[in-house]
Amino acid sequence: MSRTDVTHDPAARCWVPGAQAHPDFPVQNLPLGIFSPPGGEARGGVAIGDHILDLAAVAPLLEGQAATAAALGRQGTLNALLSAGSEALRALRHGLFALLTDPAREAAAQAALHRASDCTLHLPVAVSEYTDFYSGIHHAVNVGKLFRPDAPLLPNYKFVPIGYHGRASSVRVSGGDVLRPRGQVKAPDADMPMFGPCRRLDYEMEMAVWIGSGNAPGQPIPIGGASGHVAGLSILNDWSARDIQAWEYQPLGPFLAKNFHTSVSPWIVTMDALAPFRTAQPPRPEGDPAPLPYLLDEADQAAGAFGVTMEVHILTAAMRAAGLPPHRLSRGSMTAMYWTIAQLVAHHSSNGCNLRTGDLLGTGTLSGEMAESRGSLLELSEGGRQPIALPGGEQRTFLEDGDELIMTAFAQAPGFARIGFGECRGRIAPAP
Amino acid sequence: MSRTDVTHDPAARCWVPGAQAHPDFPVQNLPLGIFSPPGGEARGGVAIGDHILDLAAVAPLLEGQAATAAALGRQGTLNALLSAGSEALRALRHGLFALLTDPAREAAAQAALHRASDCTLHLPVAVSEYTDFYSGIHHAVNVGKLFRPDAPLLPNYKFVPIGYHGRASSVRVSGGDVLRPRGQVKAPDADMPMFGPCRRLDYEMEMAVWIGSGNAPGQPIPIGGASGHVAGLSILNDWSARDIQAWEYQPLGPFLAKNFHTSVSPWIVTMDALAPFRTAQPPRPEGDPAPLPYLLDEADQAAGAFGVTMEVHILTAAMRAAGLPPHRLSRGSMTAMYWTIAQLVAHHSSNGCNLRTGDLLGTGTLSGEMAESRGSLLELSEGGRQPIALPGGEQRTFLEDGDELIMTAFAQAPGFARIGFGECRGRIAPAP
């Protein structure tokens, strides 16, 4: 992977109608997902412009490792393909790129192409386990300030990539309803908690990291090789019930406040597609400790961060009725991560814990330093004290029934085609 | 299930040699597991005395639902069998009981019987997810006292069945080595943490709850039906690195301190086998709040607790060399649970979180009120301050390399045969 890789050539021309300079899915992206065409079964595909290319259907048009990898698209999840490893994913990328940029092969591949608007998108991976990190330092500071104004960050934050285990069964693909959960909540002035619908429902803007190949139990992944275990990234919305969380989380961390629903965008943007957008890990503020040796790697420090921009929009029921467009709540960047993805992987396995294909790691909420880059309503509304004004005269502290959240993300850099992640959507439905 | 159920008849006679009055596995128990006979593949089996009966091999000798259930033993995990539901498990139990107590059928079943000592036992279930609760109130008090002598229990404890998500990939069957993990630890007087082998390695005596059938997303399991979602119980040792835990756990809970290895005993004792040992939930101390309505069920209060006794033994390398027997560290009871198993299941799904077949719930460490019933070294040694004397002149605060932990559990009640869970073992090996 480098700037000389042909699949990153911004001048490459793709024969798929509408794919040229597509804001999300030009031929330089080629993200992987699971779709079903009208009347068909779920299968692996690649997004190209406003179309989806059926992987298994084009396998006969590819050769060698690319053909073998594409044939794994026959399955209803991407797990087998991701477990094939980064070399197989790279071969597939190159094979697909050659196919889609060669006008002479259009006729042969045409039948494998489906209009995306005709298809249903599914959860791309059978999620084996879900771990959520807390690597967004500005988020940690913003949330910490609500509890400890003078010392928002705990002493371990700059040494330990803080994370906790989440729930895999409730990870769902973008789209559809997000049921407002019920749970125990206790008002500050109440003697007793009560059980009822969450009243401080929030989102969290994160990125999803998909593990391609895992490690054997007891054999940690060294920081230098950690990136090679990652297949790609998606957008992640870690829906959160703040009132349930406040009452339940001591002493063992978040549980029911987080495990009712977690949304991921349907397309996995591969590490190879993101290669041009890797940047140096931002220097730590003066006085911050260096990472301990097991988390320190020169190449990772030089290119372990990702220049990915993330946006959150809201569309309320009233806005929808009035024909208003979604309103942007925030715009942030993955460079807000205090730890690189490689550091998260190395830390997770440093005690011998075995990661597996299909594991999902959340980065944690990625808020930036500025108010307009805060990745949750908890932060934007300062703990619910400062309502946010919306177009049409509404305001919000937390989410109301009918509110739809739309997260997007993209990467761009001079000399390269912009690539995007598509959308991660969800609309709040009343508690059942 | 009742005292009139023939499978609980203490006078029943089983034709398998040595099974009569076996302390763990008489014919009244019939726990399920996965084993491989010499040179054979992993398959489902039932423990009977010192033998294992091959489930699929006896399926042709059974009828109806019992035969169908037994045939699921052909698979290398019990997931399909557990997902068949409690009625299928009950039919299987009755079919096997009839077979094993009818001397006329000994000849036909003989070929399906293997000496347990010739077989290898495996993890019985492909663990989909692992949730660990904190339902042992005396444990919570003992641990809380180390941090907050005056107010050991947090205000939420008597309202919320506290739990957190653990790691499923590192759940392993009893036996073999438990590698001492490495991790970040910080001495109280140090400026910086360091990365190295855990020095406060501990065990936790828990019971494992296996989910048989799950629930649909967004559809909580009501407390009244929660018991029916549980297939059975095993012993669980939640190995814990106390020094790693102390440094990492704020603010999101335990992570690497717990996810390097979790041991379960190989046999699943079914809810039907345990029926005679169900007892009333011990009355809450005066002044404690009643459970909120979603956690309150009359039948569950009347018979939701389990009269199961648990013991922990240690065998150090020096004791082994000196030919000394294992030394008992503690003896406790499942009645130390502040919440019933049904309450744990109902709470877990109360926000719509979907449980699935193969989910593993840990009860949390089950310490009793008395010092001799403390279920971890953290408690027995009062945070490492009071060494425990062992036979042969050794002492321990935390586990040393070569130490083997042996957990056992059994249920007994007047008028019924005693049944046991077998062993949950693990021996500490040096950090790699």
Side-chain angles (χ1 to χ4, degrees):
Chain A
M1 277 307 94
S2 74
R3 285 168 184 255
T4 60
D5 185 315
V6 63
T7 66
H8 296 306
D9 178 2
R13 298 202 66 82
C14 170
W15 51 257
V16 176
Q20 205 61 28
H22 190 279
D24 279 342
F25 307 133
V27 72
Q28 294 84 0
N29 191 349
L30 303 178
L32 303 165
I34 294 287
F35 75 105
S36 40
E41 302 223 324
R43 64 193 73 178
V46 65
I48 177 70
D50 298 317
H51 288 75
I52 301 173
L53 189 71
D54 183 326
L55 280 172
V58 296
L61 307 179
L62 305 175
E63 287 176 354
Q65 210 173 1
T68 310
L72 295 174
R74 201 164 291 123
Q75 305 185 12
T77 73
L78 292 178
N79 295 57
L81 178 54
L82 300 194
S83 76
S86 50
E87 208 188 315
L89 289 180
R90 188 164 305 154
L92 178 62
R93 173 179 174 82
H94 279 261
L96 292 172
F97 185 89
L99 179 68
L100 292 166
T101 52
D102 182 356
R105 298 167 76 185
E106 176 174 353
Q110 191 64 55
L113 211 57
H114 301 269
R115 268 212 302 259
S117 56
D118 295 340
C119 299
T120 306
L121 293 168
H122 304 283
L123 190 63
V125 172
V127 183
S128 37
E129 298 195 64
Y130 166 39
T131 295
D132 201 15
F133 283 94
Y134 198 52
S135 73
I137 188 167
H138 305 298
H139 171 72
V141 168
N142 291 341
V143 173
K145 270 183 188 160
L146 297 175
F147 299 98
R148 301 170 299 274
D150 298 330
L153 279 187
L154 292 167
N156 58 9
Y157 189 87
K158 292 178 176 176
F159 294 98
V160 181
I162 297 291
Y164 69 103
H165 298 296
R167 179 82 190 171
S169 72
S170 49
V171 175
R172 288 166 211 151
V173 75
S174 164
D177 284 348
V178 175
L179 292 183
R180 180 180 297 274
R182 292 177 190 271
Q184 274 195 43
V185 297
K186 183 176 166 296
D189 55 348
D191 288 338
M192 296 262 296
M194 50 166 290
F195 185 84
C198 164
R199 290 200 282 192
R200 288 163 70 94
L201 186 56
D202 201 356
Y203 64 87
E204 291 194 334
M205 173 80 218
E206 306 194 14
M207 294 300 289
V209 177
W210 295 102
I211 296 297
S213 55
N215 59 303
Q219 296 184 16
I221 298 171
I223 178 77
S227 230
H229 289 262
V230 177
L233 309 182
S234 301
I235 302 167
L236 186 147
N237 183 349
D238 190 37
W239 302 98
S240 297
R242 301 297 180 193
D243 42 2
I244 297 173
Q245 187 175 355
W247 175 233
E248 76 169 0
Y249 92 107
Q250 288 286 14
L252 299 179
F255 182 46
L256 298 189
K258 300 273 197 174
N259 68 10
F260 56 97
H261 198 132
T262 304
S263 298
V264 291
S265 58
W267 296 108
I268 300 181
V269 178
T270 64
M271 293 300 264
D272 282 349
L274 288 165
F277 312 102
R278 295 186 78 138
T279 65
Q281 177 68 348
R284 294 187 155 201
E286 200 161 347
D288 279 12
L292 292 186
Y294 80 103
L295 296 174
L296 193 53
D297 176 72
E298 210 174 306
D300 183 50
Q301 290 295 303
F306 290 83
V308 170
T309 301
M310 301 144 0
E311 295 187 344
V312 182
H313 291 79
I314 188 170
L315 182 65
T316 70
M319 290 166 67
R320 207 160 31 239
L324 293 170
H327 169 74
R328 193 168 84 196
L329 289 169
S330 70
R331 172 181 253 213
S333 165
M334 275 187 77
T335 54
M337 292 174 71
Y338 192 75
W339 302 100
T340 66
I341 288 172
Q343 286 172 325
L344 303 183
V345 170
H347 180 67
H348 201 321
S349 66
S350 64
N351 65 346
C353 177
N354 53 314
L355 302 183
R356 296 181 293 190
T357 298
D359 280 351
L360 169 62
L361 314 184
T363 56
T365 308
L366 296 181
S367 299
E369 271 190 282
M370 314 298 285
E372 61 269 26
S373 60
R374 293 174 177 167
S376 68
L377 285 174
L378 182 70
E379 295 164 83
L380 286 168
S381 73
E382 296 176 16
R385 291 189 295 264
Q386 292 292 337
I388 299 147
L390 299 182
E394 287 184 285
Q395 54 182 34
R396 285 290 179 278
T397 47
F398 293 98
L399 296 170
E400 297 190 5
D401 293 344
D403 287 356
E404 183 167 29
L405 258 284
I406 306 140
M407 297 180 171
T408 56
F410 62 90
Q412 58 188 168
F416 292 99
R418 164 187 156 133
I419 64 173
F421 287 76
E423 291 180 337
C424 186
R425 280 182 180 257
R427 190 188 292 189
I428 307 303
Chain B
M1 275 308 95
S2 74
R3 285 169 182 255
T4 59
D5 185 316
V6 62
T7 66
H8 296 305
D9 179 1
R13 300 201 64 81
C14 171
W15 52 256
V16 176
Q20 207 59 29
H22 189 278
D24 280 340
F25 307 133
V27 73
Q28 292 85 357
N29 192 348
L30 302 176
L32 303 165
I34 293 288
F35 76 105
S36 40
E41 302 222 327
R43 64 193 73 180
V46 67
I48 177 71
D50 298 318
H51 288 75
I52 301 173
L53 189 70
D54 183 326
L55 280 172
V58 295
L61 307 180
L62 304 176
E63 287 176 356
Q65 210 173 2
T68 310
L72 295 173
R74 202 166 289 124
Q75 306 185 13
T77 72
L78 292 178
N79 295 58
L81 178 54
L82 301 194
S83 75
S86 49
E87 209 188 315
L89 289 179
R90 189 164 304 154
L92 178 62
R93 173 180 175 82
H94 280 262
L96 292 171
F97 185 89
L99 178 69
L100 292 166
T101 51
D102 182 356
R105 298 168 77 186
E106 175 174 354
Q110 191 64 56
L113 210 57
H114 300 269
R115 269 212 300 261
S117 55
D118 295 339
C119 299
T120 305
L121 293 169
H122 305 281
L123 190 63
V125 173
V127 183
S128 38
E129 299 196 63
Y130 166 38
T131 295
D132 200 15
F133 283 94
Y134 198 52
S135 72
I137 188 167
H138 306 298
H139 170 72
V141 168
N142 292 340
V143 172
K145 269 184 188 159
L146 298 174
F147 299 97
R148 301 169 301 275
D150 298 329
L153 278 187
L154 292 167
N156 57 8
Y157 189 86
K158 291 178 175 176
F159 295 98
V160 182
I162 297 290
Y164 70 103
H165 297 296
R167 178 83 189 171
S169 73
S170 49
V171 174
R172 288 167 210 149
V173 74
S174 163
D177 285 347
V178 175
L179 292 183
R180 180 181 297 274
R182 293 177 188 273
Q184 276 195 41
V185 298
K186 184 176 165 297
D189 54 347
D191 289 337
M192 296 262 296
M194 52 165 290
F195 185 84
C198 164
R199 291 197 283 192
R200 287 163 71 95
L201 187 56
D202 202 355
Y203 64 88
E204 290 193 336
M205 174 80 218
E206 307 193 14
M207 294 301 289
V209 178
W210 295 102
I211 297 296
S213 55
N215 59 305
Q219 295 184 16
I221 297 171
I223 177 77
S227 232
H229 290 263
V230 176
L233 309 182
S234 303
I235 302 167
L236 186 147
N237 183 349
D238 191 37
W239 303 97
S240 298
R242 302 296 181 193
D243 42 2
I244 297 173
Q245 187 175 356
W247 174 234
E248 77 169 1
Y249 92 106
Q250 287 286 15
L252 299 179
F255 182 46
L256 298 189
K258 299 274 196 172
N259 68 10
F260 57 96
H261 198 131
T262 304
S263 298
V264 291
S265 58
W267 295 108
I268 299 180
V269 177
T270 65
M271 293 300 265
D272 281 349
L274 288 164
F277 312 102
R278 296 186 77 139
T279 66
Q281 177 69 348
R284 293 185 156 203
E286 200 160 349
D288 279 13
L292 292 186
Y294 79 104
L295 296 174
L296 193 54
D297 176 73
E298 211 173 308
D300 183 50
Q301 290 295 304
F306 291 82
V308 170
T309 300
M310 301 142 1
E311 294 185 344
V312 183
H313 291 79
I314 190 170
L315 183 65
T316 71
M319 289 166 67
R320 207 159 32 240
L324 292 170
H327 169 74
R328 192 169 85 197
L329 289 170
S330 70
R331 172 181 254 215
S333 165
M334 274 187 77
T335 55
M337 292 175 70
Y338 192 75
W339 302 99
T340 66
I341 288 172
Q343 286 172 324
L344 303 184
V345 170
H347 181 67
H348 201 323
S349 66
S350 63
N351 65 346
C353 178
N354 53 313
L355 302 183
R356 297 180 294 190
T357 298
D359 279 352
L360 169 62
L361 314 185
T363 57
T365 308
L366 296 181
S367 300
E369 271 190 284
M370 315 298 286
E372 61 269 26
S373 60
R374 294 175 179 168
S376 69
L377 285 174
L378 182 71
E379 295 163 83
L380 287 168
S381 74
E382 295 177 17
R385 290 189 295 264
Q386 292 291 339
I388 299 146
L390 299 181
E394 287 184 286
Q395 54 181 33
R396 285 289 179 278
T397 48
F398 293 99
L399 296 170
E400 297 190 3
D401 294 343
D403 287 356
E404 184 166 29
L405 258 285
I406 306 141
M407 297 180 171
T408 56
F410 62 91
Q412 57 189 170
F416 292 100
R418 165 187 154 133
I419 64 172
F421 287 76
E423 292 180 337
C424 186
R425 281 180 178 258
R427 189 189 292 191
I428 308 303

